[in-house]
Amino acid sequence: MPTGTPDVLLRTEGRAGFITLNRPRAINALTHAMVVAVDGALTDWERDPAVTTVVIEGAGERGLCAGGDIRAIHDDARAGGSASAAFWRDEYRLNARIARYPKPYVALMDGIVMGGGVGVSAHGSVRVVTERSRVAMPETGIGFVPDVGGTHLLGRAPGELGTHLALTGAPVGAADAILTGLADAFVPSAELPALARDLTDLPAGEALARHAVAAPAGVLAEQREWIDACYTAPTVEEIVERLFESGVPAAKEAAETLLGRSPAALKATLATLRRSRALASLEEVLDLEYRVSCAALTTPDLVEGIRAQVVDKDRDPHWTPAALAEVTEADVARYFAVPDGGDLGLAAVLSAPSGGVDRGARGGA
């Protein structure tokens, strides 16, 4: 049976296997060892007929997972190392595995769920949010690009909602997470212990039906008109221009947010998101994102963005280039080059004969 590690606690109760990410002081930020431990548990429980449902949750009160350990990525990037690329190889493989897991994979997305936290939850077959949920792909704020299959998820959100969330990195609550396809159902946080108990002896769908209720109203549905009108623009510069010219206060706020993000990361994000929409499977998107992530590791903006937001916390990043107009097509093209260590190659290894990821066809409740 799986034994886990101090940072990943594993247990079985009844018919369910529970994965608890256990770094509460870091909002359960993922390390490479944690990714390996989660993958190992999935391997063991896939083979165990006594385990019919897998549940992932986060320790503490702050959230499921705040993302990857970006301090470690910062240090690796400064040193010109290869640890981050190795981490992403295993992390992205885990993301793809979760999407194709043959048993119900229930993600309790309570509290903060960002970056890598989205990767270990939003590809699951049963994704539960609460009134405390704050779900986001905030990578452009640290000079990075949405990864862990984030452009696959956001690229398939209604209209241009995903483009808005990918570029701004804005967090969404429960209703908007459901609207954009990042989650499936709302359960009040006070009901999560009872839901977890029911998952130990009931099919996942039946357990969820006992506790799911309508989510409190979100904001994106009402903002859809200006978001769709502005984010269909062909370039980031024109998106910003349309946002300012719309006359909508929320659109102006979005434009001001974008002007504070890494210009290179914004252009690379828009290009990645639009390329991902043309790809058939999550594996293909993860292959694309791996190229982009490895390229970002060599840019000055990733180190500078993490320094400003996490290390020194001065919230004053100095981007290179400093303005959108200074980011050339060649600069963006470099994000899609084959990494020195080679491609991830997930699509060739893991794509099903039918192609693509059908969320309704595996891990059913």
Side-chain angles (χ1 to χ4, degrees):
M1 293 299 297
T3 57
T5 70
D7 292 340
V8 177
L9 306 180
L10 305 174
R11 72 185 193 278
T12 57
E13 294 183 25
R15 59 190 286 162
F18 288 84
I19 300 169
T20 303
L21 305 180
N22 189 41
R23 295 184 68 207
R25 293 182 64 184
I27 319 180
N28 304 312
L30 293 172
T31 65
H32 197 163
M34 292 169 70
V35 166
V36 172
V38 172
D39 186 70
L42 294 183
T43 296
D44 290 338
W45 287 335
E46 184 173 345
R47 299 167 180 166
D48 186 348
V51 174
T52 61
T53 299
V54 173
V55 182
I56 188 165
E57 60 189 0
E61 297 295 321
R62 299 172 68 192
L64 170 66
C65 176
D69 188 342
I70 59 175
R71 280 182 175 268
I73 293 172
H74 170 272
D75 295 345
D76 184 51
R78 287 190 63 187
S82 59
S84 297
F87 167 63
W88 289 325
R89 277 186 173 273
D90 285 340
E91 183 184 26
Y92 297 176
R93 287 169 176 153
L94 175 62
N95 302 147
R97 182 175 198 180
I98 290 168
R100 291 188 179 273
Y101 202 62
K103 299 180 180 183
Y105 180 99
V106 181
L108 303 183
M109 301 169 68
D110 188 35
I112 292 173
V113 185
M114 296 185 179
V118 173
V120 297
S121 60
H123 298 299
S125 51
V126 181
R127 306 161 304 166
V128 178
V129 283
T130 77
E131 76 282 358
R132 303 189 301 198
S133 295
R134 295 294 179 269
V135 185
M137 297 298 297
E139 286 76 9
T140 58
I142 58 166
F144 196 45
V145 176
D147 65 335
V148 299
T151 63
H152 176 83
L153 295 163
L154 295 177
R156 286 151 181 78
E160 295 296 326
L161 295 180
T163 309
H164 170 64
L165 297 181
L167 293 180
T168 62
V172 295
D176 289 332
I178 294 170
L179 172 65
T180 53
L182 297 172
D184 300 305
F186 173 81
V187 173
S189 59
E191 288 288 306
L192 291 182
L195 171 61
R197 287 193 299 272
D198 284 343
L199 287 167
T200 66
D201 62 7
L202 294 174
E206 185 177 339
L208 181 63
R210 289 188 173 191
H211 303 280
V213 297
V219 298
L220 289 182
E222 293 182 356
Q223 296 177 343
R224 175 81 183 272
E225 183 176 356
W226 66 260
I227 287 175
D228 286 355
C230 294
Y231 286 93
T232 52
T235 66
V236 179
E237 290 95 326
E238 189 171 340
I239 288 172
V240 172
E241 182 179 348
R242 290 187 187 184
L243 289 168
F244 274 123
E245 291 178 349
S246 71
V248 179
K252 180 183 177 184
E253 291 177 12
E256 292 170 345
T257 295
L258 293 181
L259 292 180
R261 301 294 191 240
S262 159
L266 287 175
K267 289 199 172 183
T269 294
L270 185 63
T272 304
L273 190 71
R274 289 180 172 171
R275 289 190 184 203
S276 77
R277 284 174 171 166
L279 299 176
S281 70
L282 171 62
E283 286 84 1
E284 291 174 280
V285 174
L286 288 165
D287 285 344
L288 177 69
E289 290 178 349
Y290 181 74
R291 287 189 176 192
V292 174
S293 296
C294 289
L297 196 65
T298 67
T299 68
D301 278 3
L302 181 58
V303 170
E304 173 62 9
I306 298 174
R307 178 208 65 76
Q309 298 298 331
V310 177
V311 180
D312 296 337
K313 299 183 180 179
D314 59 23
R315 308 294 192 265
D316 184 29
H318 297 274
W319 305 120
T320 305
L324 287 166
E326 297 172 8
V327 182
T328 67
E329 291 184 7
D331 291 332
V332 176
R334 293 189 191 100
Y335 282 87
F336 302 100
V338 177
D340 289 341
D343 275 326
L344 183 60
L346 263 178
V349 176
L350 295 178
S351 287
S354 60
V357 174
D358 181 358
R359 294 193 69 255
R362 88 289 179 273

